[in-house]
Amino acid sequence: MKTKKLLIALGLASLLTIVSACGSDSQARQGSETDPYFIGEVVEDREQTFSYSHIHGLSKHPEDNNKLLLASHYGLIEYDKKTKEGYFVGSERFDLMGYSVIPGTSILMTSGHPGEGSKLPDPLGFLWSEDFGETWEVRGLHGMIDFHGLTATSDQSKILGYGSDYNTDAVFVSYNQGYKWEVVKTKGLPLAHDEFFDFALAPNNGDIAYAATNQGLFYSNDGGVNWEKKLDGFMTAVYVIGEDEVIFYEASQNGLFRIKGEEIFSYDLYLGSDAVLYLIAEEDPSEVTVATFQNNILTTSNHGETWETLVEEGNFPQ
């Protein structure tokens, strides 16, 4: 595996527009941290969907490796890689933001904005699901914070969130599964919405975190307070396998890379004017799935030697 050296010209300004497009122009309303409640209902006869306009998160289904969960603008979508069919999950059709799965569990986390006609507060704050997105518990900061990134340790003892009250971008931390939150006084991490793209905690160590920004790959060993630049570049996505093993996408080189200790490996992935927005990996890092800014989803099981296109431009295969 050879590290790529070729630099290409990317339309990075247009990518930034897509990242920041979903949000509200209004000021955040007053919310509460003490009155969680549930939204949504289990739906047996699910509504099929044949496409999506864009997504704000990607994960494997926690109990079915043949399925992906896509956090879309109009609700959570379950996509079956075998049948090539997509169905909305649950009854709520809201704009999911910051979506992720807690590593090694069946717990989903998200934030976002209410769907059309909803009486829910905007933004929704922090939401938690233990039934694969059928129903959600609104646990904290509802009507207050719009999270665009969420990450947690496997034991759920620590959750970090990157979010905004529409005035200030900040990192937040919760030590009780999202019911109470504190602002993290970070140092050294670019936090503006057009600088910060993605971050993740090490699954088994809440002190270790990595962040993908337009100024490089950043690293923290004190739980997200102090950050230092590990690599230069325009990083748009990151996935943490362990304390010293991380996969990331660097847009200016159009390359997907993996760091393990002091070694750097590359995956053979060339996207032209596109770039990776979200990525997930198996315990075996040769198996990676990526979602791109232009709504493509690709997967590899051999460290990038070959790639299969699962979804093209947001359209499920017919």
Side-chain angles (χ1 to χ4, degrees):
M1 294 173 286
K2 298 180 180 179
T3 302
K4 297 180 180 178
K5 301 293 185 181
L6 179 64
L7 296 179
I8 64 170
L10 281 176
L12 296 178
S14 62
L15 299 186
L16 290 172
T17 301
I18 297 172
V19 169
S20 58
C22 288
S24 171
D25 293 329
S26 63
Q27 297 294 313
R29 303 173 194 168
Q30 292 299 312
S32 171
E33 293 182 326
T34 59
D35 55 347
Y37 57 91
F38 284 88
I39 61 173
E41 297 177 353
V42 176
V43 175
E44 298 294 339
D45 187 15
R46 290 180 171 178
E47 176 188 352
Q48 187 171 5
T49 182
F50 300 95
S51 64
Y52 58 84
S53 58
H54 56 279
I55 60 173
H56 298 136
L58 167 74
S59 76
K60 297 181 301 180
H61 191 291
E63 291 193 348
D64 191 338
N65 285 333
N66 290 316
K67 295 179 180 179
L68 297 174
L69 293 176
L70 314 177
S72 85
H73 189 71
Y74 298 105
L76 186 66
I77 298 171
E78 181 183 281
Y79 176 70
D80 191 313
K81 293 184 286 185
K82 283 190 172 181
T83 66
K84 304 185 186 306
E85 293 177 334
Y87 290 88
F88 284 111
V89 179
S91 61
E92 284 292 328
R93 296 290 179 270
F94 64 96
D95 180 12
L96 286 83
M97 305 290 292
Y99 168 85
S100 67
V101 174
I102 297 179
T105 77
S106 299
I107 300 168
L108 314 185
M109 305 182 295
T110 198
S111 186
H113 307 280
E116 185 176 355
S118 173
K119 295 182 180 179
L120 294 171
D122 186 11
L124 291 173
F126 177 75
L127 283 69
W128 176 283
S129 177
E130 296 184 5
D131 58 7
F132 313 118
E134 296 278 1
T135 63
W136 297 88
E137 183 181 6
V138 185
R139 288 197 168 184
L141 301 178
H142 28 297
M144 299 173 70
I145 298 298
D146 176 21
F147 286 112
H148 282 211
L150 289 163
T151 178
T153 54
S154 296
D155 64 3
Q156 306 138 55
S157 62
K158 184 174 188 177
I159 304 172
L160 287 183
Y162 168 76
S164 170
D165 63 359
Y166 304 134
N167 291 311
T168 305
D169 301 307
V171 173
F172 298 78
V173 64
S174 174
Y175 298 104
N176 65 349
Q177 300 181 329
Y179 289 106
K180 297 284 187 180
W181 294 84
E182 304 169 7
V183 175
V184 179
K185 296 181 179 180
T186 59
K187 297 179 181 179
L189 181 65
L191 286 176
H193 70 275
D194 57 352
E195 297 176 325
F196 183 100
F197 281 83
D198 195 10
F199 74 155
L201 287 164
N204 297 318
N205 187 342
D207 288 334
I208 305 299
Y210 293 83
T213 81
N214 70 342
Q215 298 177 33
L217 181 69
F218 283 73
Y219 168 81
S220 173
N221 62 6
D222 61 3
V225 178
N226 294 287
W227 296 80
E228 62 181 40
K229 187 184 295 187
K230 193 171 183 69
L231 289 171
D232 283 316
F234 196 117
M235 314 300 184
T236 59
V238 63
Y239 186 91
V240 178
I241 297 174
E243 294 181 20
D244 67 344
E245 187 170 12
V246 58
I247 301 172
F248 63 92
Y249 185 82
E250 205 288 316
S252 65
Q253 293 191 48
N254 204 304
L256 184 66
F257 301 93
R258 177 170 64 93
I259 296 176
K260 183 173 176 58
E262 298 299 318
E263 296 183 281
I264 300 181
F265 308 91
S266 69
Y267 296 78
D268 188 9
L269 176 64
Y270 178 76
L271 296 174
S273 61
D274 202 358
V276 172
L277 181 58
Y278 300 105
L279 69 92
I280 54 176
E282 304 290 338
E283 290 184 11
D284 177 356
S286 64
E287 300 181 39
V288 177
T289 301
V290 302
T292 76
F293 284 87
Q294 296 178 12
N295 294 321
N296 300 302
I297 298 179
L298 304 94
T299 189
T300 180
S301 59
N302 53 19
H303 212 283
E305 291 182 19
T306 59
W307 290 87
E308 177 187 0
T309 299
L310 301 177
V311 179
E312 188 170 0
E313 296 182 347
N315 297 301
F316 300 136
Q318 301 297 306

